[in-house]
Amino acid sequence: MVNSIADNLTHVRHRMEAAARQARRDHARITLVAVSKAMPGAFIREAFTAGQRDFGESYVQELKAKADLLTDLALTWHFIGHLQRNKAGHAAAVATTIHSLDSFPLAEALHQRATRPIDVFIEVNLGNEASKSGVATNALLPLARHVIALDRLRLRGLMGIPPFAADPEQSRPHFRRLRLLHDELQQKLGRELPDLSMGMSHDFEVAIAEGATIVRVGTAIFGERTAKI
Ligand SMILES: *Cc1c(COP(=O)(O)O)cnc(C)c1O
């Protein structure tokens, strides 16, 4: 029997709480973003009914379509995919948070189009040769300085996706490195960056052990994506 979305959510939340307890962290400081890309609006409704409020999408068209379909729900949209500059306005109109800021021009486009403050994460390239998403570590400080000078963008922290490995322990050194980069950046900027967005279905417990404050979980809640996204 396939578990319901509500059951899956309960299970994921319990696993998050256990991971937080083991790391002696307050689980209330860790937010679950349910990644609903490639899933129908009905699934989002089901998760909402089960108490889930934060949802993540990777494609602007899909985000817009779902936001239009679900205007009656008081939910919070997170944009987590690669964002093109010419679509920044559409993403900023719907999402409260952009997890994938990776360039000056994109930061400027978001700032120009935003009609209210937008929370942003700078995505760091954690060494996955195949995916070029995220900034190189040497570009991080200049981009962060630029972002904090834009008053409609609120820099929350860093986001990263380790190269995929079946064993979640393989993600640990990447999460640790992101955490160190985050700490270093706070020092260099002389300001607090309150969040660290890292961990997905197969490795969110390791991410919590390494300091994640936001985990982005899709498959463990909604099941396997059949569409090739
Ligand atoms: C798809 C996606 C996720 C969720 O992945 P799962 O393995 O299904 O949990 C998280 N973060 C990003 C950036 C994604 O694109």
Side-chain angles (χ1 to χ4, degrees):
M1 204 187 87
V2 180
N3 286 334
S4 71
I5 289 169
D7 288 344
N8 290 343
L9 268 170
T10 303
H11 188 53
V12 167
R13 289 192 193 116
H14 283 161
R15 286 171 58 192
M16 287 173 64
E17 281 168 30
R21 204 176 312 122
Q22 204 166 11
R24 296 173 189 285
R25 297 186 50 207
D26 177 6
H27 72 82
R29 267 290 288 135
I30 305 167
T31 298
L32 171 62
V33 172
V35 177
S36 48
K37 65 184 178 199
M39 295 296 164
F43 284 20
I44 299 175
R45 275 188 195 280
E46 209 173 315
F48 186 90
T49 305
Q52 180 63 28
R53 292 294 176 267
D54 290 274
F55 293 87
E57 289 285 341
S58 294
Y59 300 91
V60 175
Q61 286 302 113
E62 197 182 338
L63 170 67
K64 276 179 62 183
K66 286 178 183 168
D68 285 346
L69 195 69
L70 302 168
T71 43
D72 57 313
L73 305 183
L75 43 74
T76 298
W77 292 109
H78 297 248
F79 189 82
I80 63 172
H82 179 68
L83 184 56
Q84 285 167 315
R85 226 189 317 167
N86 60 353
K87 296 195 175 141
H90 292 302
V94 178
T96 61
T97 309
I98 308 286
H99 289 246
S100 44
L101 186 60
D102 61 358
S103 73
F104 287 166
L106 178 59
E108 260 156 10
L110 279 168
H111 175 71
Q112 273 165 20
R113 311 273 154 72
T115 52
R116 56 182 158 73
I118 313 256
D119 287 340
V120 297
F121 287 81
I122 295 178
E123 181 176 353
V124 176
N125 188 323
L126 288 177
N128 187 349
E129 291 299 314
S131 111
K132 294 225 174 74
S133 61
V135 298
T137 45
N138 60 359
L140 185 54
L141 182 61
L143 179 55
R145 290 219 157 100
H146 194 77
V147 170
I148 61 177
L150 301 172
D151 61 3
R152 283 193 289 280
L153 301 187
R154 295 190 296 219
L155 182 60
R156 300 292 301 179
L158 302 183
M159 184 275 236
I161 307 172
F164 181 82
D167 177 4
E169 280 303 320
Q170 303 263 357
S171 297
R172 191 182 295 274
H174 297 284
F175 291 148
R176 194 164 286 176
R177 189 164 144 251
L178 192 64
R179 169 73 189 264
L180 288 174
L181 287 168
H182 185 264
D183 291 348
E184 221 174 85
L185 187 61
Q186 294 190 106
Q187 270 188 2
K188 287 183 178 152
L189 294 176
R191 70 154 70 188
E192 198 205 348
L193 301 173
D195 283 309
L196 196 48
S197 170
M198 59 187 195
M200 305 176 17
S201 288
H202 71 291
D203 59 11
F204 68 83
E205 284 141 315
V206 176
I208 289 171
E210 296 300 329
T213 69
I214 298 190
V215 294
R216 309 173 315 269
V217 177
T219 312
I221 296 169
F222 296 112
E224 294 288 340
R225 289 177 288 275
T226 46
K228 222 188 98 215
I229 345 193

